[in-house]
Amino acid sequence: MSLLSLDRASLRYGDILGLSPTSFSLPLGGGITGLLGPNGAGKSSLIQLLCGLLPPSGGEVRVFGEAPYRNPAILGRIGLVPEGDRFPTGLRGDRWLRMMGRLSGLEGQALETALGATLDLVGMTDRAHLPFSAMSKGMRQRIRLAQGLLHGSDLLVLDEPFNGLDPEGRLELMETLRGLAGQGRHILVSSHILGEVAQLTDRILLLLRGRLLAEGSVTEIRALLDRHPVELRVHSEDPRAVARWAVEEAGLAGLRMEAGAVVLSVGSPRAFLPRFQDAVARGAFPFTALSPLDLDLDAVFHYLVQDHA
Amino acid sequence: MPIHAPSLPPHPIQGQGLPAALVLGRFEVRRILRQRLGRFFGFAFALVLLVELALVYFKPMAGAGGQLLPQGADFQAGLLGKALLFLLWLQVAQVGGGLVARDTLYRIRPLLYAHPVRPLDYLLGKGMVAVGIPLLIQLPFILLPWGLSLLSAGAQGPVWPTAPLRLIPAALVVALLMGLITLGASSLASTPRGGFAWALGLVLGFGALGTLLSGLLSDPRWGALSPMALAQAWPRLCCGAPGDLGWFPTGLGTLVHLGFWLGVVVLRTRPAEALA
């Protein structure tokens, strides 16, 4: 039995295709899986299928070997931490969590024990009695996480959990997720930022325009960047001097001049950037700033689409 | 099966406690009881109830040499009178208007449906609150005057001994009407204030339409379009008091409203709608 499996599962919202027929499976055994894709890629559609919010329009979805839609036995094993930061302002965190626990079939001493243990796990024992309006964004995120963990979920699904968190909050959340994964939980984290997921896990699913484009390790995805030219914008007081230096370097695929900058197209940024750094240190040309133009996830998707074509 | 390390909380025992609909209903009731606006409505309803109780004594005594006399159907129907029903519409619009809209605003429904909560559980939970509150508020207005009348003058008192048998079914229909219309209004809105505005707008709008058509077509039965007129008609019909609306237009108007607004709520709280 696998943790989750999709067999040509698709999801339509009326005429709009949320997820094209997709097949993949993830094994049991705990750990974190990243669900990557730009906005509108189909991440939320996939999460809705996995969490049993909607039935697939076609194909089959199985979580822990069973269809999750309207299946209380499976829904009780999944903890969803949805995207967004909206809570009823006057409501207290512990009251909210108690209601969610009761909806999952907890009551009395079992509820209080689970609540205490979960709040301890997310570090909110002393602050859960506060109303949501008095909590920081990071605290509300912890309460959301506690809500997903309260009923002892075996699979924790987080939809864009890092959105809006400050760097400290992100690090804290990453630490918590790593700790949970290390103790045997299965965690699925959706994000549109490769760097965030790369810090968490080496197992990722890539989605674009409702299609699963690739599944594999972050290393494999990064390798894609090395196979395609990457554009680097170099800001300088003398862009022509930068261009003169660059044309003599190996690995330059092309360049174009801009006002106050030159855009270099390089075949392998990993090989090129150390040489560039040396040249700057030697004072080979005046240098102001360097910014990569297509090192983000969208560029990876673009390359993947090209490869698939 | 996954192996849980000792440092993780143990799997809690599930499958205990109340059904999901009751959990949702209880949560809403507790939230409503914490609201400050409830004190205003509590005071207003208490005032109306005191006036009603005073009438049980003083109105019959006015021309009867100090003794309590049995009263007619108008008096019985008046226990669920216009003042009470108007206040009740306001209160139900305020409470019911926010029941679904609040969940829409804070995107709570997708999260609920990710738990073992069916759309039917959600509807039952919200419906119990929207219908239960107006029903519970109406009950003292029936039972206290009835009890006072029985204690004061027995079967010959101003309130008929059979009055609860007539008025409680009427109160139930009125509560259903109020609850479903306000839930429907709430499901159309994206904020609790919007839900309140929708509820009042629908009640007053259908009222105006009913009055307009009654006047234009010279047929009072068109008044059955108005939820307020329907709510006033049921106690009168159940007590046999004369009124503009007969059984057929009142029953048909009520059924149309209940069916239509139930359909609206069901459609607007589907999981697909909650995720939109």
Side-chain angles (χ1 to χ4, degrees), chain B residues 87-119:
Chain B
L87 260 182
L88 206 50
W89 274 115
L90 275 182
Q91 197 260 353
V92 172
Q94 193 267 328
V95 171
L99 282 176
V100 179
R102 183 172 290 98
D103 293 348
T104 307
L105 175 64
Y106 297 112
R107 293 187 65 80
I108 290 171
R109 270 195 304 284
L111 189 57
L112 295 180
Y113 292 151
H115 286 73
V117 178
R118 298 166 301 168

Short mmCIF file of all heavy atoms in Angstrom, two decimals, chain B residues 87-119:
data_model
loop_
_atom_site.label_atom_id
_atom_site.label_comp_id
_atom_site.label_asym_id
_atom_site.label_seq_id
_atom_site.Cartn_x
_atom_site.Cartn_y
_atom_site.Cartn_z
N LEU B 87 -39.33 42.19 16.06
CA LEU B 87 -38.05 42.10 16.79
C LEU B 87 -37.31 40.81 16.44
O LEU B 87 -36.10 40.79 16.27
CB LEU B 87 -38.33 42.09 18.30
CG LEU B 87 -38.15 43.38 19.07
CD1 LEU B 87 -38.44 43.13 20.55
CD2 LEU B 87 -36.72 43.91 18.92
N LEU B 88 -38.11 39.75 16.31
CA LEU B 88 -37.52 38.44 16.01
C LEU B 88 -36.87 38.44 14.62
O LEU B 88 -35.79 37.88 14.43
CB LEU B 88 -38.63 37.38 16.09
CG LEU B 88 -38.21 35.96 16.42
CD1 LEU B 88 -37.33 35.91 17.65
CD2 LEU B 88 -39.46 35.09 16.65
N TRP B 89 -37.53 39.07 13.65
CA TRP B 89 -36.93 39.16 12.31
C TRP B 89 -35.57 39.87 12.38
O TRP B 89 -34.60 39.43 11.77
CB TRP B 89 -37.85 39.93 11.35
CG TRP B 89 -38.89 39.09 10.69
CD1 TRP B 89 -40.24 39.17 10.85
CD2 TRP B 89 -38.68 38.02 9.75
NE1 TRP B 89 -40.88 38.23 10.09
CE2 TRP B 89 -39.95 37.51 9.39
CE3 TRP B 89 -37.55 37.43 9.18
CZ2 TRP B 89 -40.11 36.46 8.50
CZ3 TRP B 89 -37.71 36.39 8.29
CH2 TRP B 89 -38.97 35.91 7.95
N LEU B 90 -35.55 40.97 13.14
CA LEU B 90 -34.29 41.72 13.27
C LEU B 90 -33.21 40.85 13.90
O LEU B 90 -32.07 40.80 13.44
CB LEU B 90 -34.51 42.96 14.16
CG LEU B 90 -35.04 44.22 13.52
CD1 LEU B 90 -35.14 45.31 14.58
CD2 LEU B 90 -34.13 44.67 12.40
N GLN B 91 -33.61 40.15 14.98
CA GLN B 91 -32.62 39.34 15.71
C GLN B 91 -32.13 38.18 14.87
O GLN B 91 -30.94 37.88 14.82
CB GLN B 91 -33.26 38.86 17.01
CG GLN B 91 -32.30 38.38 18.05
CD GLN B 91 -32.19 36.87 18.07
OE1 GLN B 91 -32.96 36.20 17.38
NE2 GLN B 91 -31.24 36.36 18.82
N VAL B 92 -33.06 37.52 14.18
CA VAL B 92 -32.68 36.36 13.36
C VAL B 92 -31.83 36.81 12.17
O VAL B 92 -30.89 36.12 11.77
CB VAL B 92 -33.95 35.61 12.90
CG1 VAL B 92 -33.61 34.53 11.89
CG2 VAL B 92 -34.62 34.96 14.09
N ALA B 93 -32.16 37.98 11.61
CA ALA B 93 -31.35 38.49 10.50
C ALA B 93 -29.92 38.76 10.97
O ALA B 93 -28.95 38.48 10.26
CB ALA B 93 -31.97 39.77 9.93
N GLN B 94 -29.82 39.28 12.20
CA GLN B 94 -28.48 39.59 12.73
C GLN B 94 -27.70 38.31 13.02
O GLN B 94 -26.53 38.20 12.66
CB GLN B 94 -28.65 40.44 14.00
CG GLN B 94 -27.39 41.10 14.49
CD GLN B 94 -26.66 40.25 15.51
OE1 GLN B 94 -27.28 39.52 16.28
NE2 GLN B 94 -25.34 40.34 15.50
N VAL B 95 -28.36 37.34 13.61
CA VAL B 95 -27.66 36.09 13.96
C VAL B 95 -27.50 35.20 12.73
O VAL B 95 -26.40 34.78 12.38
CB VAL B 95 -28.44 35.34 15.07
CG1 VAL B 95 -27.85 33.95 15.27
CG2 VAL B 95 -28.37 36.11 16.37
N GLY B 96 -28.63 34.92 12.07
CA GLY B 96 -28.60 33.99 10.93
C GLY B 96 -27.83 34.54 9.75
O GLY B 96 -27.20 33.79 9.01
N GLY B 97 -27.88 35.87 9.58
CA GLY B 97 -27.18 36.48 8.45
C GLY B 97 -25.68 36.24 8.47
O GLY B 97 -25.03 36.27 7.43
N GLY B 98 -25.15 35.98 9.67
CA GLY B 98 -23.70 35.77 9.76
C GLY B 98 -23.29 34.31 9.79
O GLY B 98 -22.10 34.00 9.69
N LEU B 99 -24.26 33.40 9.91
CA LEU B 99 -23.90 31.99 10.16
C LEU B 99 -23.06 31.38 9.03
O LEU B 99 -22.06 30.73 9.29
CB LEU B 99 -25.17 31.16 10.36
CG LEU B 99 -25.84 31.27 11.73
CD1 LEU B 99 -27.13 30.48 11.75
CD2 LEU B 99 -24.90 30.80 12.82
N VAL B 100 -23.48 31.58 7.81
CA VAL B 100 -22.74 31.01 6.68
C VAL B 100 -21.72 32.02 6.14
O VAL B 100 -20.61 31.67 5.76
CB VAL B 100 -23.71 30.57 5.56
CG1 VAL B 100 -22.96 30.00 4.37
CG2 VAL B 100 -24.69 29.54 6.09
N ALA B 101 -22.13 33.31 6.15
CA ALA B 101 -21.26 34.36 5.59
C ALA B 101 -19.93 34.45 6.34
O ALA B 101 -18.88 34.70 5.74
CB ALA B 101 -21.97 35.71 5.63
N ARG B 102 -19.96 34.23 7.66
CA ARG B 102 -18.72 34.29 8.44
C ARG B 102 -17.75 33.20 7.97
O ARG B 102 -16.55 33.43 7.83
CB ARG B 102 -19.03 34.14 9.93
CG ARG B 102 -17.80 34.26 10.82
CD ARG B 102 -18.16 34.30 12.29
NE ARG B 102 -18.82 35.55 12.65
CZ ARG B 102 -20.12 35.73 12.76
NH1 ARG B 102 -20.93 34.71 12.56
NH2 ARG B 102 -20.63 36.88 13.07
N ASP B 103 -18.29 32.02 7.71
CA ASP B 103 -17.44 30.92 7.23
C ASP B 103 -16.91 31.21 5.84
O ASP B 103 -15.81 30.79 5.48
CB ASP B 103 -18.23 29.61 7.23
CG ASP B 103 -18.59 29.16 8.63
OD1 ASP B 103 -18.04 29.74 9.58
OD2 ASP B 103 -19.43 28.26 8.77
N THR B 104 -17.72 31.91 5.04
CA THR B 104 -17.25 32.29 3.69
C THR B 104 -16.11 33.29 3.80
O THR B 104 -15.09 33.16 3.13
CB THR B 104 -18.41 32.92 2.88
OG1 THR B 104 -19.52 32.02 2.91
CG2 THR B 104 -18.00 33.18 1.44
N LEU B 105 -16.30 34.28 4.67
CA LEU B 105 -15.29 35.33 4.83
C LEU B 105 -13.95 34.74 5.28
O LEU B 105 -12.89 35.11 4.75
CB LEU B 105 -15.78 36.36 5.86
CG LEU B 105 -14.81 37.47 6.25
CD1 LEU B 105 -14.49 38.35 5.04
CD2 LEU B 105 -15.38 38.34 7.38
N TYR B 106 -13.99 33.83 6.23
CA TYR B 106 -12.74 33.28 6.78
C TYR B 106 -12.35 31.95 6.14
O TYR B 106 -11.44 31.28 6.63
CB TYR B 106 -12.87 33.14 8.30
CG TYR B 106 -13.07 34.46 8.99
CD1 TYR B 106 -14.27 34.77 9.62
CD2 TYR B 106 -12.08 35.42 8.97
CE1 TYR B 106 -14.46 36.00 10.23
CE2 TYR B 106 -12.26 36.65 9.58
CZ TYR B 106 -13.46 36.94 10.20
OH TYR B 106 -13.64 38.16 10.79
N ARG B 107 -13.01 31.59 5.08
CA ARG B 107 -12.73 30.35 4.33
C ARG B 107 -12.65 29.14 5.27
O ARG B 107 -11.68 28.36 5.25
CB ARG B 107 -11.43 30.49 3.52
CG ARG B 107 -11.55 31.51 2.41
CD ARG B 107 -10.34 31.52 1.51
NE ARG B 107 -10.18 30.28 0.78
CZ ARG B 107 -10.84 29.95 -0.31
NH1 ARG B 107 -11.74 30.76 -0.81
NH2 ARG B 107 -10.61 28.80 -0.91
N ILE B 108 -13.68 29.01 6.08
CA ILE B 108 -13.70 27.93 7.06
C ILE B 108 -14.29 26.65 6.48
O ILE B 108 -13.90 25.54 6.87
CB ILE B 108 -14.49 28.38 8.31
CG1 ILE B 108 -13.68 29.47 9.05
CG2 ILE B 108 -14.78 27.23 9.25
CD1 ILE B 108 -14.41 30.15 10.17
N ARG B 109 -15.20 26.79 5.52
CA ARG B 109 -15.88 25.58 5.03
C ARG B 109 -14.92 24.56 4.41
O ARG B 109 -15.04 23.36 4.70
CB ARG B 109 -17.00 25.94 4.04
CG ARG B 109 -18.34 26.15 4.74
CD ARG B 109 -19.50 26.15 3.79
NE ARG B 109 -19.38 27.12 2.73
CZ ARG B 109 -19.58 28.42 2.87
NH1 ARG B 109 -19.90 28.90 4.05
NH2 ARG B 109 -19.45 29.24 1.86
N PRO B 110 -13.95 24.97 3.57
CA PRO B 110 -13.04 23.95 3.04
C PRO B 110 -12.33 23.18 4.15
O PRO B 110 -12.14 21.98 4.05
CB PRO B 110 -12.04 24.76 2.20
CG PRO B 110 -12.75 26.01 1.87
CD PRO B 110 -13.67 26.29 3.01
N LEU B 111 -11.98 23.90 5.21
CA LEU B 111 -11.30 23.25 6.32
C LEU B 111 -12.23 22.26 7.03
O LEU B 111 -11.84 21.16 7.41
CB LEU B 111 -10.80 24.32 7.30
CG LEU B 111 -9.89 23.85 8.42
CD1 LEU B 111 -8.68 23.14 7.87
CD2 LEU B 111 -9.46 25.02 9.27
N LEU B 112 -13.50 22.67 7.19
CA LEU B 112 -14.46 21.77 7.83
C LEU B 112 -14.66 20.52 7.00
O LEU B 112 -14.70 19.40 7.52
CB LEU B 112 -15.81 22.48 8.02
CG LEU B 112 -15.84 23.68 8.97
CD1 LEU B 112 -17.24 24.27 9.03
CD2 LEU B 112 -15.39 23.28 10.36
N TYR B 113 -14.76 20.70 5.68
CA TYR B 113 -15.01 19.54 4.82
C TYR B 113 -13.77 18.64 4.71
O TYR B 113 -13.87 17.51 4.23
CB TYR B 113 -15.44 19.99 3.42
CG TYR B 113 -16.80 20.65 3.39
CD1 TYR B 113 -17.12 21.62 2.44
CD2 TYR B 113 -17.78 20.31 4.31
CE1 TYR B 113 -18.37 22.23 2.41
CE2 TYR B 113 -19.02 20.92 4.31
CZ TYR B 113 -19.31 21.88 3.35
OH TYR B 113 -20.54 22.48 3.34
N ALA B 114 -12.62 19.14 5.12
CA ALA B 114 -11.43 18.29 5.16
C ALA B 114 -11.43 17.42 6.42
O ALA B 114 -10.58 16.55 6.56
CB ALA B 114 -10.16 19.13 5.11
N HIS B 115 -12.35 17.70 7.33
CA HIS B 115 -12.57 16.85 8.49
C HIS B 115 -13.73 15.91 8.15
O HIS B 115 -14.36 16.06 7.11
CB HIS B 115 -12.92 17.70 9.72
CG HIS B 115 -11.75 18.44 10.29
ND1 HIS B 115 -11.21 19.55 9.66
CD2 HIS B 115 -11.02 18.24 11.41
CE1 HIS B 115 -10.18 19.99 10.40
NE2 HIS B 115 -10.05 19.21 11.45
N PRO B 116 -14.01 14.96 9.02
CA PRO B 116 -15.17 14.10 8.73
C PRO B 116 -16.49 14.85 8.90
O PRO B 116 -17.32 14.54 9.74
CB PRO B 116 -15.03 12.96 9.76
CG PRO B 116 -13.64 13.03 10.25
CD PRO B 116 -13.25 14.46 10.18
N VAL B 117 -16.67 15.89 8.12
CA VAL B 117 -17.89 16.71 8.16
C VAL B 117 -18.49 16.72 6.75
O VAL B 117 -17.83 17.13 5.80
CB VAL B 117 -17.58 18.17 8.58
CG1 VAL B 117 -18.83 19.01 8.55
CG2 VAL B 117 -16.93 18.20 9.95
N ARG B 118 -19.74 16.25 6.64
CA ARG B 118 -20.41 16.26 5.34
C ARG B 118 -21.14 17.59 5.17
O ARG B 118 -21.47 18.24 6.16
CB ARG B 118 -21.41 15.12 5.25
CG ARG B 118 -20.82 13.73 5.36
CD ARG B 118 -21.91 12.73 5.60
NE ARG B 118 -22.64 13.03 6.83
CZ ARG B 118 -23.79 12.47 7.20
NH1 ARG B 118 -24.35 11.58 6.43
NH2 ARG B 118 -24.38 12.80 8.32
N PRO B 119 -21.43 17.98 3.93
CA PRO B 119 -22.24 19.20 3.73
C PRO B 119 -23.56 19.13 4.49
O PRO B 119 -24.03 20.15 5.00
CB PRO B 119 -22.46 19.23 2.22
CG PRO B 119 -21.28 18.52 1.65
CD PRO B 119 -20.96 17.44 2.63
#
